[in-house]
Amino acid sequence: SHMVGGHCAGLCRQWPSFCRLSLAVVAFAVASAVSEGCAAAAVEEAAGCLAAAAPLKPPLPPSAAAAAAVAAVARSGDGGTDAPGGLSMLQFSASGQRAADNRISGSRRVVSPVPTTQTFLGFRMLYVTLPISQALKDQTANHLLFGLDSDASHGGMDVDPEGIAHLSVTHYPDAPISWVGEPGNSDTLSLPHLLLKVQLPLVDAGRKFFQTSYALIDDDRAMMILRLGSGIPAKLANMSFPADGAALDGAATINVTRRGVNLLQVSGIRDAGDYDLQQAEDLLAKVDMTWGTPITNYMAGPGLMNMTFFQHTTKATVRKARKVDVSLTIKHDDFDPFAWIFADSRPLDAWWLEGNLEVTTKVDMIPEAQDPQMPHMDANITALRTSGAVLTHGLNVTDRSSSCSNADVIWTRMKLNTEKIAPYLPPGFSLEKDDGVMMLQRCQPGVFKLLGDLKLPLVYNELWVNVFGTYDDTPILLPILLLVDDDVAVMAGQDYGGTPKKLANLTFTMTPDSGANSSVFASINRHGRQIFKFTGRIGAETTGTVRGVNDNTRKNSRFGFVMAHQFPRDGIVDRPMYIFPRGVQSTYKQREMTDLAVELGHAKEEPLGEWFVGEPLAGGYVQQSRDWGMDMMRGNNFQKLPTDEWIAWWTRSFQMLHM
């Protein structure tokens, strides 16, 4: 009830023109259906929603709207004003976004450390066009899946009924998309990778462009950089590609496998003649309009003003262009509906291209709409962007399954080096205590529930690195870093929760079981770096809750997340926001642990050994399930991060967040 009603209240505080009585009614109805005891809380929250709704202003004519937006940007330091009706989303975003954004520092436009243009030298690419399935066209026409779901007078983004899908598999041997240290203050770092993209032709109010709606990549660092830095929904896959200089004689193959499913096989790549270089460059010179962040989170609510798009424009210098004949085999999976995009797997045309690419990215406006509404998140689109095949079968999953069920948890509390960890605290946070808790849990299963009738069970391990902080004098559990061994859990946590997750190799064993006198071993590494090693012995049963692990009291179960970890391409328009959920734990078993030993790494990407000092102060074992609710810290939930401080924090934390 607090989550739904408070969600409405936050919406109305930050976007009064979006507030509708129906939201309050829904909040009350949902709460009443769940529990009579929740009704009073829902009424309280819904009342706050209605009270927050200012009288709507009449729409401004376009010229006046633009002038108002420009004027609002100029005075953004004063906290801004209510969004005038009729402004585009981008204009509204730039206007200061009401008094809830009064923490923005100064009126100057902060220079982003992220370059606008990036160059990729020596690419080699198989480029194929394919027919779009009628099922995709029909579903798009009904639900506007690829962009703003606006009123009938506007129409939003839709698949071009005359268009075709463009599929490419590319080797980027030189991809300077990262940095060796702080962005803007250190040399760039190349992350060579293979990338599969499906670009769909879209049309909006007569304007035609493309959108990368599906992508697979073979490097997890590049995956998150593309997702959070460019809005390209890359997912991790194993990929093979012809060697440089390989003849196009029919023997070369391409294979793409994700989570055990061979999604794409390309065989019989055979030269079919010359292709004009200029035509090849024109083929690649398309506008690609990808989603910004956190538009991926369909519960963003007050984050609606964050619904920016990234417009990518490619300039190609092609040195080799050949027509080719190829044979494609595309595999369907219910949780990864790659094949759903295409009418069939017979290429309309295919080319082999080599050369250099120059990609320019800018933040672009959402097309204007008189009364913009929440985007429709279709199960297939969510699956394309985030999901993957089931790896563990036979699990019992229901609508009531927790986000992390039946978890085996080990935890340890250690002293902090407060000076070393302070730079990693997000703006507005300070330390409440000089110790922190590391909690390693195995979810059995975790459940991804945003796939319609499908529920994706995920069995995975993850390490939570939590510190005890405060925000506006309110105690907050702040996860500084999470390391996870399942890529869907990483993407879902980042996109739908703002949790700072990275992929890692985790080992977690209890021998012989979780009973008394059992030995525990855990080890975590990432890209060759040893990050965490833990040994201990499970002891006697204990009672009493542990703050940061299974304490459900309001004061001790409030978490703080940064939603989301997007690159600061535009520090005014596209900023993350804070959300403050409550952890709700059900404890089944609890035991003490003895003979604790912890070894921590010191790499700049995961400096746990710099943050924590000395021997473990305490530790234990818990078996529990965890889920999340929303704790309404009025005026703080959905609050935007101040621009200057956010960019400075993101720059300092880049290696930890993304590498």
Side-chain angles (χ1 to χ4, degrees):
S1 62
H2 283 283
M3 179 174 67
V4 178
H7 186 66
C8 171
L11 264 171
C12 297
R13 280 193 301 274
Q14 296 206 35
W15 196 357
S17 64
F18 198 86
C19 189
R20 296 290 182 267
L21 177 62
S22 58
L23 291 175
V25 173
V26 168
F28 177 76
V30 170
S32 300
V34 173
S35 166
E36 275 189 31
C38 288
V43 170
E44 178 186 353
E45 298 289 358
C49 174
L50 294 176
L56 303 185
K57 301 177 181 178
L60 297 178
S63 58
V70 172
V73 171
R75 64 173 186 274
S76 59
D78 68 7
T81 61
D82 288 357
L87 290 187
S88 73
M89 291 289 289
L90 182 65
Q91 290 167 332
F92 170 56
S93 299
S95 72
Q97 298 172 5
R98 288 185 45 73
D101 283 345
N102 60 11
R103 296 171 63 102
I104 185 170
S105 51
S107 58
R108 66 186 180 87
R109 192 176 185 85
V110 180
V111 177
S112 170
V114 183
T116 301
T117 300
Q118 292 177 302
T119 301
F120 302 88
L121 301 177
F123 79 86
R124 296 183 300 121
M125 176 189 299
L126 175 69
Y127 196 103
V128 179
T129 57
L130 292 159
I132 300 172
S133 72
Q134 191 61 46
L136 174 56
K137 291 180 180 180
D138 292 344
Q139 203 156 342
T140 302
N142 292 331
H143 299 297
L144 302 172
L145 307 180
F146 298 101
L148 182 66
D149 189 354
S150 61
D151 68 358
S153 66
H154 183 272
M157 296 181 183
D158 202 353
V159 167
D160 184 351
E162 305 301 321
I164 55 178
H166 291 226
L167 183 153
S168 61
V169 184
T170 308
H171 176 224
Y172 293 98
D174 179 46
I177 59 176
S178 186
W179 294 266
V180 297
E182 290 188 352
N185 298 322
S186 65
D187 293 335
T188 58
L189 175 66
S190 177
L191 297 177
H193 59 270
L194 293 168
L195 176 66
L196 178 153
K197 289 200 305 184
V198 177
Q199 295 173 296
L200 293 176
L202 302 186
V203 61
D204 173 64
R207 183 173 62 152
K208 293 189 175 184
F209 47 87
F210 285 80
Q211 185 176 107
T212 298
S213 301
Y214 186 81
L216 298 173
I217 198 166
D218 68 345
D219 184 284
D220 71 284
R221 299 164 300 177
M223 175 186 82
M224 295 310 298
I225 287 173
L226 290 188
R227 290 181 73 90
L228 296 170
S230 300
I232 295 173
K235 303 189 294 188
L236 199 61
N238 297 312
M239 306 171 73
S240 67
F241 197 78
D244 192 7
L248 304 178
D249 58 2
T253 61
I254 296 173
N255 279 282
V256 180
T257 301
R258 170 166 165 74
R259 297 173 71 91
V261 180
N262 194 184
L263 292 171
L264 175 67
Q265 290 179 294
V266 183
S267 58
I269 306 175
R270 187 179 300 277
D271 196 316
D274 191 28
Y275 189 64
D276 181 74
L277 295 181
Q278 183 60 55
Q279 287 184 293
E281 292 176 356
D282 293 343
L283 184 68
L284 298 176
K286 62 174 67 68
V287 173
D288 188 14
M289 195 80 72
T290 60
W291 292 5
T293 344
I295 195 172
T296 49
N297 181 358
Y298 84 126
M299 285 291 287
L304 282 169
M305 66 286 293
N306 264 12
M307 284 184 179
T308 51
F309 281 80
F310 295 142
Q311 177 180 298
H312 310 284
T313 305
T314 298
K315 178 181 178 182
T317 302
V318 177
R319 66 170 185 267
K320 179 178 180 178
R322 308 295 298 177
K323 295 179 181 179
V324 292
D325 294 324
V326 296
S327 176
L328 272 60
T329 302
I330 299 175
K331 180 75 176 290
H332 172 77
D333 183 86
D334 287 342
F335 289 94
D336 203 336
F338 174 50
W340 173 71
I341 300 172
F342 311 109
D344 60 55
S345 59
R346 290 172 291 183
L348 301 173
D349 287 293
W351 302 266
W352 183 269
L353 307 174
E354 297 181 8
N356 303 326
L357 296 177
E358 184 179 277
V359 181
T360 299
T361 300
K362 70 174 184 178
V363 176
D364 195 40
M365 70 176 67
I366 286 180
E368 290 190 17
Q370 177 65 31
D371 186 17
Q373 301 170 24
M374 280 190 177
H376 181 93
M377 285 297 293
D378 175 79
N380 279 322
I381 299 301
T382 304
L384 288 174
R385 298 181 66 87
T386 310
S387 187
V390 176
L391 297 180
T392 305
H393 298 273
L395 297 167
N396 182 29
V397 178
T398 69
D399 289 339
R400 292 185 174 273
S401 295
S402 300
S403 60
C404 181
S405 300
N406 303 314
D408 287 316
V409 179
I410 58 170
W411 62 271
T412 182
R413 185 164 56 87
M414 296 181 67
K415 279 285 186 183
L416 290 172
N417 182 328
T418 57
E419 182 179 343
K420 291 292 182 69
I421 202 168
Y424 296 90
L425 302 180
F429 278 88
S430 59
L431 289 174
E432 177 196 4
K433 300 176 62 179
D434 64 353
D435 58 13
V437 171
M438 288 179 283
M439 181 184 74
L440 178 62
Q441 65 181 10
R442 178 185 296 120
C443 298
Q444 305 175 123
V447 183
F448 187 44
K449 302 179 181 179
L450 302 179
L451 302 172
D453 293 334
L454 298 175
K455 304 290 183 291
L456 176 60
L458 306 168
V459 176
Y460 60 93
N461 301 298
E462 61 181 6
L463 176 72
W464 288 65
V465 181
N466 296 327
V467 299
F468 302 106
T470 62
Y471 185 84
D472 282 354
D473 299 322
T474 302
I476 299 290
L477 283 164
L478 180 65
I480 296 290
L481 175 65
L482 280 79
L483 297 164
V484 191
D485 63 2
D486 185 282
D487 72 309
V488 173
V490 169
M491 294 183 293
Q494 285 275 6
D495 287 0
Y496 299 96
T499 49
K501 293 189 176 187
K502 297 197 298 189
L503 199 64
N505 299 308
L506 278 77
T507 300
F508 177 18
T509 61
M510 295 179 290
T511 307
D513 51 33
S514 60
N517 209 36
S518 292
S519 60
V520 175
F521 173 79
S523 178
I524 303 175
N525 65 79
R526 173 176 164 80
H527 290 282
R529 304 183 296 269
Q530 184 64 42
I531 301 170
F532 175 89
K533 187 175 288 186
F534 176 95
T535 57
R537 189 166 296 278
I538 297 176
E541 292 185 358
T542 61
T543 58
T545 57
V546 179
R547 187 180 179 192
V549 180
N550 65 341
D551 190 338
N552 285 325
T553 60
R554 188 181 186 90
K555 175 182 178 180
N556 294 330
S557 63
R558 184 186 291 114
F559 285 74
F561 299 149
V562 176
M563 181 68 208
H565 299 111
Q566 69 260 45
F567 284 29
R569 290 192 177 275
D570 188 315
I572 303 297
V573 172
D574 185 29
R575 286 180 288 146
M577 59 186 173
Y578 287 128
I579 59 173
F580 297 96
R582 287 186 63 187
V584 181
Q585 293 76 216
S586 299
T587 300
Y588 312 126
K589 297 179 184 177
Q590 188 166 331
R591 291 181 176 273
E592 66 180 7
M593 290 193 69
T594 59
D595 303 329
L596 303 179
V598 178
E599 298 177 25
L600 303 174
H602 293 262
K604 65 181 182 296
E605 297 88 352
E606 301 90 18
L608 273 64
E610 302 293 313
W611 297 342
F612 294 92
V613 295
E615 300 299 318
L617 302 175
Y621 164 81
V622 175
Q623 186 184 59
Q624 66 179 22
S625 294
R626 169 182 281 177
D627 229 322
W628 300 95
M630 186 60 73
D631 186 73
M632 296 312 299
M633 297 173 60
R634 293 187 181 277
N636 290 338
N637 259 309
F638 315 119
Q639 188 171 60
K640 296 298 187 67
L641 274 65
T643 300
D644 290 9
E645 289 89 335
W646 166 49
I647 293 180
W649 169 76
W650 179 88
T651 302
R652 290 193 305 269
S653 304
F654 174 83
Q655 294 292 326
M656 178 198 70
L657 289 172
H658 303 295
M659 296 298 293

